[in-house]
């Protein structure tokens, strides 16, 4: 591909405009229609929907687990190569452009959009699950305790952020460096050219919109469950579908207000505030929990994680398919599918806030800083939970009964538990607001052809549609349908995985057209 072909792409697609955009009818109306159709299907025939989505997920995890596992490790290797290659100094924008946001604000926004809420929800639950039912050996043993947090690191660590980094980098490069619209389809222009202006490009963006909408609807349902459990724990408010729908409505309204104010005000400020609150909560549990045990867990877990990194990254459990193989399908492959399906949303948003960064700075930061924070978080909350369980606090029983209450079950064993539980509930709520408005903003851009300032009414429409979808599913169809829908989102990861592979090829093809690069050396 030549530089002139990219220029032709700019003429065909248009540079990202500065004025307020309008809708892209094929993407907007098709996405809205599919949303309504799938929502109607889930509500009218909930049992059929559950069986349908679960069957697809099970087929994909069994038949294509090898593809997920090898691709995710490939994305990690590709990211390392990019960071250390002669392309690392290339800036995501003009050569003399500087970052659009401060480093702290950038970290806060990418982390909040990426997986901040998941850390609070699963910070206690997942290590306890792996302690009770490890992939190999007996549960509830000292050996299972030692490996519980490293297994959690495997799912929330470098692999997940490598997926995000690759797709976000591709979108940012083609948008800010080459002037193409800030949409998923732009990643593939070197491969498909002007064909992306038609239904090929529309289909890619529709797939991204669809995955984002139902991923967010599922997350809103899970978040409402967690906040409702907190209200029940603190104030005795009934944890019912009605309460959860009310919570979803409040989160949706807050997200719409934040979305209307824009990235620089609403999303940025919410992310910064919540990082501070989450940091205070982390310091509190570290200080008043089993501090020495937490430090031991942190050091030991990082050591086990990196010692087994390559072997665990490629492991399929073929020698024990009924036990370890089943665990890998139910945990690792599902996580890879979920992160990949969630990647278009995170990728577009992270690209939007990363203008002016170099490729090396971008990859190094995205793959290291959030991962380090995640390691510390799981060591603090998971280590505290495992220590309390060993002391007879019945944390395993609490997690088994309701994973939404797991973090509250740990906090009630610490001083000032009511205050800590209240802060946790606020953190979860703000994380969901920031995730909701970030996802709505991304959907707005995708359905308006990549405009960074989509129509105001469209922002409100998608924020409301996402909240309404989650509310209807929770109230009319029940939690089981949300679980089935999550299985459907995981299934979306399969076509997205193939798209990310193509995005890597397309990015390399475009990078080779760059001028004034250092001489080739090593593997470059």
């Amino acid at each position: 591909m030549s530089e002139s072909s990219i220029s032709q792409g700019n003429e065909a697609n248009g540079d990202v405009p500065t004025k307020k955009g309008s809708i892209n009818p094929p993407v907007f109306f098709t996405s809205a229609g599919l949303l309504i159709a799938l929502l109607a299907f889930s509500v009218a025939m909930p049992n059929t929907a559950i069986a349908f989505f679960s069957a697809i997920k099970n087929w994909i995890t069994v038949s294509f687990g090898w593809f997920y596992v090898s691709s995710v490790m490939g994305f990690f290797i590709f990211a390392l190569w990019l960071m250390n290659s002669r392309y690392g100094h290339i800036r995501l924008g003009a050569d003399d452009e500087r970052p659009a946001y401060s480093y702290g604000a950038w970290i806060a926004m990418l982390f909040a959009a990426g997986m901040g809420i998941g850390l609070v929800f699963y910070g206690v639950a997942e290590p306890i699950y792996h302690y009770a039912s490890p992939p190999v050996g007996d549960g509830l043993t000292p050996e299972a305790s030692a490996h519980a947090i490293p297994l959690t690191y495997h799912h929330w660590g470098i692999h997940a952020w490598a997926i995000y980094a690759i797709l976000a980098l591709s979108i940012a490069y083609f948008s800010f460096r080459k002037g193409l619209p800030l949409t998923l389809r732009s990643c593939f222009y070197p491969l498909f050219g002007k064909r992306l202006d038609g239904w090929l490009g529309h289909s890619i963006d529709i797939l991204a919109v669809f995955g984002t909408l139902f991923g967010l609807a599922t997350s809103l349902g899970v978040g409402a469950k967690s906040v409702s459990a907190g209200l029940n724990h603190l104030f005795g408010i009934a944890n019912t579908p009605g309460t959860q729908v009310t919570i979803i409505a409040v989160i949706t309204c807050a997200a719409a207000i934040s979305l209307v104010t824009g990235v620089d005000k609403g999303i940025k400020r919410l992310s910064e505030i919540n990082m501070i609150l989450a940091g205070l909560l982390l310091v509190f549990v570290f200080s008043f929990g089993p501090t020495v045990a937490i430090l031991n867990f942190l050091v030991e877990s990082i050591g086990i994680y990196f010692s087994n990194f390559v072997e665990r990254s490629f492991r399929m459990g073929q020698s024990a398919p009924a036990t370890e193989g089943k665990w890998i399908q139910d945990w690792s492959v599902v996580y890879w599918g979920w992160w990949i399906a969630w990647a278009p949303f995170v990728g577009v948003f992270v690209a939007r806030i990363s203008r002016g960064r170099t490729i090396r700075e971008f990859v190094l930061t995205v793959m290291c800083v959030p991962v380090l924070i995640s390691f510390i978080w799981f060591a603090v909350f998971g280590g505290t939970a495992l220590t309390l369980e060993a002391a007879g606090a019945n944390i395993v029983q609490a997690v088994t009964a309701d994973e939404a209450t797991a973090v509250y079950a740990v906090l009630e064993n610490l001083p000032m538990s009511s205050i800590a539980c209240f802060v946790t509930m606020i953190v979860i709520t703000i994380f969901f607001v920031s995730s909701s408005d970030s996802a709505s903003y991304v959907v707005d851009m995708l359905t308006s052809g990549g405009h960074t300032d989509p129509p105001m009414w469209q922002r409100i429409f998608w924020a409301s549609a996402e909240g309404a979808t989650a509310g209807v599913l929770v109230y009319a169809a029940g939690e089981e349908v949300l679980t089935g829908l999550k299985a459907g989102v995981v299934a979306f990861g399969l076509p997205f995985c193939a798209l990310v592979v193509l995005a890597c090829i397309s990015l390399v093809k475009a990078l080779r057209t760059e001028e004034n690069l250092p001489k080739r050396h090593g593997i470059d």
Side-chain angles (χ1 to χ4, degrees):
M1 182 191 66
S2 65
E3 191 70 33
S4 61
S5 66
I6 285 288
S7 299
Q8 292 169 2
N10 294 350
E11 295 170 2
N13 291 288
D15 289 351
V16 177
T18 56
K19 64 181 181 179
K20 191 175 294 293
S22 59
I23 66 170
N24 182 351
V27 178
F28 181 91
F29 290 111
T30 304
S31 299
L34 288 173
L35 175 68
I36 294 171
L38 192 52
L39 181 61
F41 171 56
S42 298
V43 172
M45 297 180 286
N47 293 330
T48 303
I50 293 169
F52 175 73
F53 292 130
S54 298
I56 293 177
K57 187 208 78 170
N58 292 337
W59 175 70
I60 287 177
T61 56
V62 172
S63 302
F64 293 95
W66 62 272
F67 180 59
Y68 276 137
V69 169
S70 57
S71 295
V72 168
M73 190 59 177
F75 300 149
F76 165 69
I77 295 171
F78 181 69
L80 285 184
W81 173 76
L82 275 178
M83 184 176 64
N84 293 286
S85 72
R86 64 197 182 107
Y87 306 118
H89 77 284
I90 294 174
R91 200 167 289 277
L92 302 176
D95 289 336
D96 59 350
E97 196 166 355
R98 289 297 171 259
Y101 297 96
S102 69
Y103 198 76
W106 183 45
I107 292 295
M109 286 191 286
L110 75 88
F111 190 74
M115 57 181 62
I117 181 58
L119 296 186
V120 182
F121 192 86
Y122 291 108
V124 169
E126 185 162 342
I128 289 296
Y129 279 134
H130 299 326
Y131 168 63
S133 301
V136 178
D138 297 326
L140 308 176
T141 63
E143 183 179 4
S145 178
H147 285 82
I149 296 176
L151 288 172
T152 307
Y153 285 175
H154 177 61
H155 297 143
W156 293 80
I158 293 174
H159 296 90
W161 284 97
I163 298 168
Y164 289 165
I166 290 300
L167 198 56
L169 176 63
S170 297
I171 295 169
Y173 175 83
F174 284 106
S175 179
F176 303 139
R177 188 78 178 177
K178 299 301 182 182
L180 296 174
L182 194 67
T183 61
L184 187 61
R185 75 174 75 186
S186 294
C187 295
F188 310 102
Y189 199 84
L191 299 179
F192 301 111
K194 293 185 178 181
R195 282 176 289 175
L196 291 170
D197 297 337
W199 272 102
L200 176 61
H202 297 332
S203 299
I204 292 172
D205 286 341
I206 289 168
L207 195 63
V209 169
F210 210 53
T212 299
L213 287 173
F214 279 91
L216 182 62
T218 306
S219 296
L220 281 173
V222 172
K225 180 182 175 183
S226 183
V227 175
S228 181
L231 291 172
N232 178 262
H233 181 82
L234 288 172
F235 307 112
I237 297 175
N239 187 2
T240 63
T243 302
Q244 294 169 17
V245 169
T246 301
I247 292 168
I248 290 172
V250 172
I251 290 174
T252 301
C253 290
I257 294 172
S258 173
L259 190 62
V260 167
T261 61
V263 174
D264 293 342
K265 295 180 180 179
I267 299 175
K268 175 175 174 285
R269 290 175 181 173
L270 273 179
S271 299
E272 291 174 334
I273 291 170
N274 217 33
M275 285 297 287
I276 294 172
L277 289 176
L280 291 174
L281 181 63
L282 186 72
V283 170
F284 170 80
V285 176
F286 175 77
S287 302
F288 290 96
T291 304
V292 175
I294 289 171
L295 291 172
N296 289 338
F297 271 115
L298 176 63
V299 173
E300 184 178 62
S301 297
I302 290 177
I304 294 174
Y305 172 74
F306 283 108
S307 296
N308 299 329
F309 183 80
V310 174
E311 188 271 343
R312 173 59 63 186
S313 296
F314 288 104
R315 194 164 184 82
M316 297 299 302
Q318 188 59 34
S319 59
T323 53
E324 186 183 17
K326 183 68 164 57
W327 185 93
I328 290 172
Q329 291 171 10
D330 291 344
W331 283 96
S332 300
V333 175
V334 166
Y335 263 118
W336 301 159
W338 180 265
W339 297 141
I340 292 170
W342 203 233
F345 148 54
V346 179
V348 172
F349 182 77
V350 171
R352 168 65 177 81
I353 63 175
S354 299
R355 183 166 194 153
R357 306 284 171 182
T358 65
I359 289 178
R360 182 170 291 112
E361 177 189 18
F362 179 92
V363 175
L364 182 64
T365 300
V366 172
M367 285 183 53
C368 291
V369 176
V371 170
L372 179 59
I373 295 173
S374 300
F375 283 2
I376 295 172
W377 187 278
F378 280 113
V380 170
F381 282 86
T384 300
L386 292 168
T387 304
L388 290 173
E389 173 64 26
N394 295 323
I395 304 299
V396 172
Q397 182 179 348
V399 171
T400 304
D402 187 357
E403 62 184 17
T405 64
V407 65
Y408 304 113
V410 167
L411 293 175
E412 69 181 11
N413 287 277
L414 303 180
M416 298 179 286
S417 62
S418 296
I419 297 176
C421 288
F422 182 76
V423 172
T424 299
M425 191 172 61
I426 296 300
V427 168
I428 292 173
T429 301
I430 297 180
F431 266 135
F432 267 95
V433 171
S434 61
S435 293
S436 178
D437 59 14
S438 300
S440 299
Y441 181 74
V442 167
V443 171
D444 292 342
M445 287 192 293
L446 290 172
T447 55
S448 63
H451 290 266
T452 56
D453 188 19
M456 192 66 67
W457 70 266
Q458 185 175 311
R459 302 185 193 188
I460 298 173
F461 171 81
W462 286 117
S464 302
E466 290 160 0
T469 299
V472 170
L473 288 174
V474 167
Y475 191 79
E479 182 182 335
E480 293 78 9
V481 170
L482 281 174
T483 302
L485 195 60
K486 183 177 180 180
V489 175
V490 171
F492 273 107
L494 184 61
F496 279 132
C497 192
L499 287 176
V500 179
V501 172
L502 289 177
C504 294
I505 298 171
S506 181
L507 180 60
V508 171
K509 190 173 182 181
L511 286 172
R512 287 177 175 172
T513 68
E514 291 282 347
E515 299 177 354
N516 302 319
L517 293 175
K519 292 182 179 180
R520 291 179 176 270
H521 61 86
I523 61 172
D524 291 341

